[in-house]
Amino acid sequence: MDAKYQIDDTSGIITPALVVFRELLDNNIRHIIEIAGDASRLRPHCKTHKTAEVVRLQAEQGITKQKCATFAEAEMVAEAGCRDICLAYNLVGPNIARAVAFRQKYPDVTFSVTADHEIPIAALGHAMTEAGTTIEVLLDVDTGQHRTGVTCCERAERLYQLIAETDGLIPGGFHVYDGHQHQQSHEERKAAIDVEWAKVIELRDKLVAAGLPVPRIVAGGTGSFPVYATKDDPTIELSPGTCVYNDAGYSAAFPDLKFPPATGVLTRVISRPTENRITLDLGYKAVASDPPAGKRCTFPELPDAVAVLQNEEHLVLETDRAGDFQPGDELLAIPTHICPTSAMHKEIVVVSGGKVVDHWDIVARDRQLTI
């Protein structure tokens, strides 16, 4: 086992188990801050870890703002002590009332949400006004992913004006997510981002010239935040997510980002059905199945392994080294996609210096806590 992934005593760990290695996690948080230049520029996304302890570790290193995608995540972050939270998700249906409930439960939290359409803007304003409170709203800007948001056009100007004019709402700036920018080359990624950034700045400048405040631009994700970090604009808030833990997928996609995976899934051999096969207790209920079958995790100790079959509770590997393993032997799998993998586990086993030192609840894996 690579020394950085050493676990001295695994006898008490029921597999498959999600494990975090504290030294790697701490180093990844420090490296995020190094890239940003200052912790005050960061608003990391908590979707990857979903745990209060990581929020507190980030706060200890000076990170005071958080981004999330669900109300469960927002509540977890608030309970962890963060007082500046952006729920980067356009609210509809029951989430309008939940926004009111959140504002009432955490009146001391600067809380912002996103919007890209007139109807939810009106509904949110009405709900806040009826409750006698307010909420900050960021215009969700589409920079080419075409998942949500509005492009930098006249409609974007009108929507931001509408936010400013709607009782109960406070114009909070822009949300600019560019998860489609996956160029392996940093320079190619930067060039593509800069084209869209110029449009965002033009929109911002028009609104400011019209007398509207644009106090922040929550920008980027893991792959793009180093590009935004080089821009001298005090309104930028950098929003990396995955790199706090990192995974095999992002390590391959962005070779310029030097974040060793800080988490893995400990798994045990349960069978050796053929001479060149071992079967692990690592089904797709324990590791994210959005990557294609056969590419959902890697094994640092078994690089030649080929995943040939995966079911709910089983993963079958073919390897020339199958004869080296017996039922009960262990391997550490590095997920290709850690974010949904985290959500599959109730807790994460914390290892430091090779010792199991704690267990952290993955609180926000649920869609609802109390709100």
Side-chain angles (χ1 to χ4, degrees):
M1 176 70 72
D2 187 320
K4 64 177 177 287
Y5 296 126
Q6 180 64 36
I7 308 174
D8 295 340
D9 181 4
T10 59
S11 61
I13 302 177
I14 299 172
T15 56
L18 188 63
V19 181
V20 61
F21 298 88
R22 268 295 305 270
E23 288 78 10
L24 296 177
L25 170 60
D26 291 341
N27 287 337
N28 282 353
I29 295 172
R30 281 192 288 270
H31 189 38
I32 291 169
I33 296 171
E34 289 170 359
I35 293 174
D38 192 282
S40 65
R41 302 190 71 199
L42 285 161
R43 185 184 289 276
H45 204 315
C46 72
K47 70 182 177 97
T48 298
H49 57 83
K50 303 180 188 295
T51 64
E53 287 82 358
V54 175
V55 173
R56 295 189 185 106
L57 288 174
Q58 291 173 332
E60 288 173 6
Q61 296 197 38
I63 297 173
T64 61
K65 301 183 288 288
Q66 292 283 334
K67 176 178 167 180
C68 56
T70 70
F71 272 102
E73 291 172 355
E75 188 171 355
M76 177 273 294
V77 169
E79 289 297 321
C82 180
R83 288 298 173 263
D84 192 335
I85 303 169
C86 174
L87 175 54
Y89 207 82
N90 299 341
L91 306 186
V92 297
N95 278 343
I96 299 289
R98 294 176 82 190
V100 172
F102 190 93
R103 288 289 293 121
Q104 292 172 334
K105 184 171 182 177
Y106 302 105
D108 59 332
V109 170
T110 298
F111 185 56
S112 59
V113 299
T114 60
D116 67 359
H117 194 278
E118 295 84 351
I119 292 175
I121 289 172
L124 186 60
H126 176 74
M128 292 293 159
T129 302
E130 287 289 300
T133 188
T134 60
I135 192 169
E136 291 196 21
V137 178
L138 278 61
L139 180 67
D140 191 12
V141 177
D142 178 9
T143 59
Q145 189 176 30
H146 307 322
R147 183 177 70 178
T148 65
V150 58
T151 58
C152 296
C153 58
E154 289 185 6
R155 180 164 179 255
E157 295 179 48
R158 294 196 300 271
L159 281 176
Y160 200 77
Q161 180 75 47
L162 178 62
I163 293 169
E165 293 174 349
T166 300
D167 291 342
L169 306 186
I170 300 169
F174 300 162
H175 175 245
V176 180
Y177 178 65
D178 46 13
H180 59 296
Q181 304 289 13
H182 268 241
Q183 301 85 347
Q184 278 200 326
S185 163
H186 174 83
E187 291 306 314
E188 291 178 6
R189 204 180 321 137
K190 180 180 183 302
I193 290 168
D194 285 348
V195 169
E196 299 301 326
W197 178 249
K199 300 174 187 176
V200 172
I201 292 303
E202 182 181 2
L203 174 63
R204 190 268 306 274
D205 291 348
K206 285 182 179 179
L207 292 169
V208 171
L212 297 174
V214 185
R216 67 178 63 80
I217 302 177
V218 178
T222 295
S224 56
F225 92 97
V227 174
Y228 293 108
T230 65
K231 300 185 183 302
D232 186 17
D233 189 318
T235 67
I236 292 176
E237 296 179 355
L238 307 167
S239 293
T242 303
C243 54
V244 66
Y245 281 170
N246 209 26
D247 55 30
Y250 269 66
S251 293
F254 304 115
D256 54 303
L257 298 183
K258 307 301 183 183
F259 292 93
T263 58
V265 180
L266 186 69
T267 178
R268 288 187 173 94
V269 177
I270 62 165
S271 179
R272 279 185 49 202
T274 71
E275 290 185 355
N276 70 335
R277 287 190 175 194
I278 59 175
T279 301
L280 306 173
D281 58 359
L282 185 60
Y284 49 68
K285 286 183 176 178
V287 66
S289 59
D290 54 337
K295 298 182 179 180
R296 291 166 181 165
C297 53
T298 62
F299 296 87
E301 291 183 277
L302 206 57
D304 75 317
V306 177
V308 295
L309 175 66
Q310 190 178 32
N311 304 116
E312 293 179 47
E313 305 291 351
H314 302 81
L315 175 64
V316 181
L317 302 180
E318 285 191 351
T319 170
D320 291 338
R321 290 183 52 207
D324 296 342
F325 292 87
Q326 303 297 332
D329 289 348
E330 297 159 349
L331 283 167
L332 186 73
I334 304 299
T336 299
H337 195 182
I338 184 58
C339 305
T341 299
S342 291
M344 294 177 168
H345 295 263
K346 183 178 180 180
E347 67 174 19
I348 187 163
V349 179
V350 184
V351 173
S352 179
K355 309 293 184 184
V356 174
V357 297
D358 207 347
H359 295 77
W360 296 341
D361 290 336
I362 304 176
V363 176
R365 68 195 290 260
D366 298 327
R367 300 298 296 183
Q368 184 179 22
L369 301 184
T370 69
I371 293 175

